[in-house]
Amino acid sequence: MDFQSQRHRHRCAACYRQFNRMEHLVEHMRTSHHSLHEPRCGVCGKHCRSLDALRDHLGFGASLPSKPACSAAFQAHGCPLCLAVFPASAAVRAHRPTCKLSGAPHPSSVQSLTRSMSRVGARGGRGAVALGCKMVGGGSDGTLDVCARVCVVDEHETILYESFVKPLIPVTHYRYETTGIRPEHLRDAPTVKQAMRRVQDILLNGEESYSYSSRGAARLLVGHGLEHDLDALGMDYPVHLKRDTAAYPPLMKTSARLMSNSLRYLTRSCLGYDIQPGGHHHPYDDCVAAMRLYKRIRAMSHLHLHGWPKDDDDESTAKAFPAWRQRELERMSPEELLAMSKPDYRCWCLDDDRRC
């Protein structure tokens, strides 16, 4: 085997990192969790951990490109939102209007829509729903977040439930500059427990609270910082039914530690419009932005369009590269190792069968 072949023999087929020995490449594949679900460069095919890492690779924004040839091709024929690369400028121009979205309706129109939709039944629906809460301040210094407004929308951005919420503890800071909430809004509002039951009824879709199942009627829950919102409502939801844009690895920051990007940044960088520009913020805007992000990621085609079987068996992730197969693994090609590798998260493209 010549030197050039030996180099490619020890090169990762996903991130193109070069190793001196095959055993080092196997260990890299064991810990990196590369897969065909990762964001990839449309020019060279390199796999990146997150969309931010792919932007860095392409030199998008202020960062210097790691590969100038990819950056040049992207600048000529790339979409700055979905980061896809097209064969010609005409294809890019035709694609951009479908990729760049406009903002959600103005809060005043949302309120009228809420009144018209308040009596629509929540049960029997299909598809995911998005949850957004607006917090006011509690505690002696007003820094304790307590829920004072809640909104739930479906995949069509229709409001299923929206209401002010009366907190269980006294409100010491209404944060009016951003929430637009006044004491009179909460005076006759439902309690947190009542709001929680309404939200839970929508999520369970007629099921009992103890009968969550991966293929039952309970709906997928989308949001940004879901743990915070659910905790404010005093409720929980199964992990396998949550789709949190703040905790999904491809949407997180590029760093050694996984850190969340803000919903404002994700909306601007992935959807092409701004939310929360100033003034009063309605939770409907957050719901719509999170739902649009989820649907965009879910629509991305990965392994099933490349002839690979769709495999969402979480148990196989830790067993992809067992130590007892070390010698057999070292005789495999980098492409064969990549085919065996599993992501350390469940890709949202696997939610196709749950669409409405």
Side-chain angles (χ1 to χ4, degrees):
M1 183 180 295
D2 58 29
F3 176 74
Q4 190 69 18
S5 300
Q6 187 71 21
R7 284 191 62 195
H8 285 284
R9 168 73 176 162
H10 298 160
R11 189 180 76 165
C12 175
C15 66
Y16 302 154
R17 183 177 173 185
Q18 189 71 43
F19 295 90
N20 293 327
R21 299 171 63 89
M22 194 62 187
E23 62 189 80
H24 299 158
L25 173 58
V26 172
E27 182 60 27
H28 166 73
M29 297 302 295
R30 183 178 285 126
T31 58
S32 63
H33 299 283
H34 286 310
S35 77
L36 294 177
H37 291 284
E38 292 177 305
R40 281 172 289 170
C41 174
V43 181
C44 69
K46 178 181 178 179
H47 292 229
C48 298
R49 178 64 175 173
S50 66
L51 292 176
D52 274 1
L54 180 54
R55 290 187 183 94
D56 293 341
H57 169 75
L58 295 170
F60 185 70
S63 58
L64 294 175
S66 59
K67 194 171 182 181
C70 294
S71 177
F74 178 77
Q75 294 295 332
H77 301 137
C79 174
L81 298 177
C82 66
L83 305 182
V85 179
F86 296 84
S89 300
V92 180
R93 289 194 297 268
H95 163 78
R96 281 178 179 171
T98 65
C99 198
K100 179 177 171 57
L101 304 180
S102 58
H106 190 269
S108 60
S109 60
V110 169
Q111 292 167 3
S112 61
L113 178 62
T114 300
R115 288 193 291 270
S116 64
M117 297 299 298
S118 59
R119 297 185 181 276
V120 175
R123 293 189 180 187
R126 292 185 57 81
V129 297
L131 170 69
C133 295
K134 195 57 62 179
M135 309 294 175
V136 293
S140 58
D141 56 357
T143 58
L144 179 64
D145 285 344
V146 291
C147 180
R149 197 171 193 177
V150 62
C151 183
V152 180
V153 305
D154 64 12
E155 291 195 20
H156 306 291
E157 302 175 10
T158 300
I159 296 177
L160 301 179
Y161 178 63
E162 193 275 339
S163 176
F164 290 106
V165 178
K166 183 185 294 183
L168 296 176
I169 64 174
V171 177
T172 54
H173 190 348
Y174 284 89
R175 306 173 184 174
Y176 176 77
E177 295 78 10
T178 57
T179 66
I181 297 176
R182 297 181 181 274
E184 55 267 26
H185 293 145
L186 309 183
R187 189 170 298 124
D188 299 319
T191 64
V192 172
K193 191 171 184 179
Q194 290 171 329
M196 181 268 289
R197 287 175 178 171
R198 288 291 303 274
V199 173
Q200 190 175 50
D201 186 55
I202 295 172
L203 294 175
L204 295 180
N205 213 14
E207 289 192 351
E208 297 295 334
S209 59
Y210 57 82
S211 62
Y212 295 112
S213 64
S214 60
R215 301 188 182 276
R219 304 172 77 162
L220 296 177
L221 177 60
V222 178
H224 189 81
L226 277 175
E227 292 300 328
H228 185 237
D229 288 349
L230 290 173
D231 184 63
L233 288 172
M235 61 180 294
D236 195 10
Y237 207 56
V239 173
H240 71 275
L241 293 176
K242 294 177 186 175
R243 302 293 182 265
D244 194 340
T245 57
Y248 189 59
L251 294 176
M252 300 181 80
K253 293 181 179 179
T254 303
S255 61
R257 294 179 57 197
L258 287 177
M259 299 178 63
S260 300
N261 277 308
S262 68
L263 184 59
R264 179 185 298 182
Y265 168 80
L266 292 174
T267 305
R268 185 191 312 116
S269 61
C270 298
L271 303 178
Y273 71 95
D274 290 316
I275 62 170
Q276 305 169 356
H280 303 158
H281 304 159
H282 197 290
Y284 177 77
D285 297 331
D286 297 345
C287 289
V288 169
M291 179 61 76
R292 289 176 176 180
L293 284 166
Y294 166 70
K295 290 171 65 177
R296 176 152 295 183
I297 296 295
R298 185 183 65 180
M300 289 183 176
S301 57
H302 293 128
L303 53 132
H304 56 287
L305 291 185
H306 295 267
W308 295 80
K310 292 179 71 172
D311 183 6
D312 57 349
D313 182 8
D314 295 334
E315 294 183 356
S316 62
T317 300
K319 302 177 182 178
F321 299 96
W324 59 269
R325 293 184 61 187
Q326 183 69 23
R327 290 191 176 183
E328 177 186 354
L329 294 171
E330 292 177 11
R331 290 193 294 268
M332 293 183 178
S333 68
E335 291 74 20
E336 290 174 326
L337 293 175
L338 176 59
M340 294 175 55
S341 185
K342 306 289 182 181
D344 55 352
Y345 61 90
R346 188 184 190 279
C347 184
W348 291 348
C349 79
L350 299 172
D351 292 341
D352 280 345
D353 58 345
R354 296 193 64 120
R355 293 186 187 185
C356 57

